[in-house]
Amino acid sequence: MDFRISKEQRAFVDVVRRVCQKEFKPRAVKYLDGTWPAENMKSLAEIGVLGMAVPQEYGGSGLGILDTVLVLEEIGKVCYVTAMAALGELGVQTRIIAAHAPESIRQRILPRVAAGQAMLAICMTEPNAGTDVPNYATNCDIKGDRVALNGVKTLISRADIAEMFVVFTRVNKVPGAAGIGCVLVPGGVKGLAAKASFHTMGGEYLSEVVFENVELPLENLVIRDNGMKRLLSAFNTQRCLNPAICLGLAEGALEEAVRYLRDRSAFGHRIGDFQGLRWKVADMYVEIEAARGLLYRAAVSGGEFPDPTLAAMAKIYCNEMSIRVTSEAIQIHGGYGFTDEFTVSRYFRGARYGSLGGGTTETLRNLVGKKLVEQMDLATGMLDMGMF
Ligand SMILES: Cc1cc2nc3c(=O)[nH]c(=O)nc-3n(C[C@H](O)[C@H](O)[C@H](O)COP(=O)(O)OP(=O)(O)OC[C@H]3O[C@@H](n4cnc5c(N)ncnc54)[C@H](O)[C@@H]3O)c2cc1C
């Protein structure tokens, strides 16, 4: 087994790391008030990051999931808001457009995504159903060669600036999971209204989005007829990308904590001389490396999409690890750690997001638990675990 990343991956991550450390790190604090990180997105487009999920024929690089994990980890290490902004172009919405949109839409939007000129929004969550996808109320009726979309989505990232909305919707009012499909809605169409309604503890704004009789060509309904399974399998990729940001946040917090151990004194010693605090950073590091192993393995599992169980486990572990590690980094900083002036509080705010978006850790535990209970080979009493 070779655990090393390739020379090409290392070279690309080095470029990303330099930009992150030099440009993004000093700017990170200013995005806490909801300012969009426009200058960082421009830099990410220039070095080729925003085109990573865009196939080569549309101006991107079409790189793999592990490459994307490595890059989001670097960005997460310095700035949660920028990592989340980049996730919008590296994640599920770009992949759905690349895989399912008609050629005319791909040609129009994907080169603009790669160039950092078009932002995308994914609209799943509704006021009365988030995790509960089969009960979405948003509906898209087919009327000849047109569709009409009606409904309300909420907690949507980037909706105030998005050039295209990837919307999960019921089709023709068919109830339950069987009725879920996906429609692409260009920003600015008649009947679409987006309002930044919530300011998060991570920094960014989230919007409520209303679709009132939004009329579109039938070809914009890119997935219909039992689309939920296909849509959710694309989410296994997201389940590797969200934890990559968490891994980066934890790494950034550990670096801050170690620096503080070396700088701060108490009782005539560096606080880094106290065994109790050395053990804290040692445990933080152990958790980070365990998380990295699980996440990288999930990222290289499967074909088009990662293995669902590994991706779920990686997400659960990275999400919860990052809360523990960033919280310990605050503890090491004492009272200063709780202030906005010290970076560690920002890492903790960002880490708190991970277990909420892209599949909550409760629903992912449902998935892993179900697999365990249902796959047990009753004859041998063995589970299909590990690498064999
Ligand atoms: C920063 C941020 C950005 C976001 N961006 C977007 C976006 O761009 N697009 C978008 O569509 N959404 C977005 N969301 C919303 C996010 O995806 C939802 O909050 C998430 O899916 C959970 O849905 P909910 O909030 O409705 O919670 P609910 O589904 O109501 O769940 C409430 C609680 O019940 C638990 N629960 C639900 N069902 C079960 C079950 N079967 N078993 C055990 N526990 C269960 C959940 O885990 C959770 O703890 C964003 C959220 C945040 C915080």
Side-chain angles (χ1 to χ4, degrees), residues 54-187:
V54 172
Q56 285 179 357
E57 60 267 40
Y58 303 104
S61 52
L63 286 173
I65 297 165
L66 180 59
D67 302 86
T68 318
V69 163
L70 295 170
V71 163
L72 282 172
E73 182 185 333
E74 284 308 315
I75 307 172
K77 215 185 271 183
V78 294
C79 182
Y80 159 83
V81 173
T82 305
M84 289 293 284
L87 179 64
E89 280 58 60
L90 300 179
V92 70
Q93 43 270 60
T94 307
R95 290 165 203 273
I96 287 176
I97 292 172
H100 300 291
E103 188 58 26
S104 58
I105 294 183
R106 287 187 218 184
Q107 281 184 11
R108 198 170 69 236
I109 194 89
L110 291 176
R112 290 178 56 71
V113 170
Q117 293 157 348
M119 300 302 145
L120 304 172
I122 176 105
C123 295
M124 297 182 65
T125 312
E126 301 188 350
N128 294 316
T131 310
D132 188 5
V133 180
N135 274 314
Y136 282 178
T138 298
N139 180 65
C140 183
D141 280 323
I142 302 175
K143 298 177 173 172
D145 62 354
R146 309 280 293 170
V147 296
L149 179 69
N150 283 284
V152 180
K153 298 287 182 177
T154 195
L155 300 175
I156 307 303
S157 307
R158 293 171 299 278
D160 46 339
I161 54 168
E163 194 163 307
M164 182 155 280
F165 296 72
V166 177
V167 183
F168 278 40
T169 176
R170 187 163 304 294
V171 181
N172 280 343
K173 304 187 181 71
V174 174
I180 299 296
C182 176
V183 65
L184 303 181
V185 182

Side-chain angles (χ1 to χ4, degrees), residues 158 213 345 369:
R158 293 171 299 278
N213 258 329
S345 67

Side-chain angles (χ1 to χ4, degrees), residues 250-271:
E251 290 174 30
L254 176 60
E255 285 173 353
E256 290 296 323
V258 170
R259 185 171 310 123
Y260 203 70
L261 286 187
R262 296 175 62 98
D263 288 350
R264 178 78 172 173
S265 296
F267 300 96
H269 294 272
R270 299 189 303 188
I271 61 168

Side-chain angles (χ1 to χ4, degrees), residues 260 264 330-340 342 344-345:
Y260 203 70
R264 178 78 172 173
I330 291 176
Q331 191 66 25
I332 285 170
H333 279 72
Y336 289 125
F338 194 60
T339 66
D340 285 346
F342 277 67
V344 279
S345 67

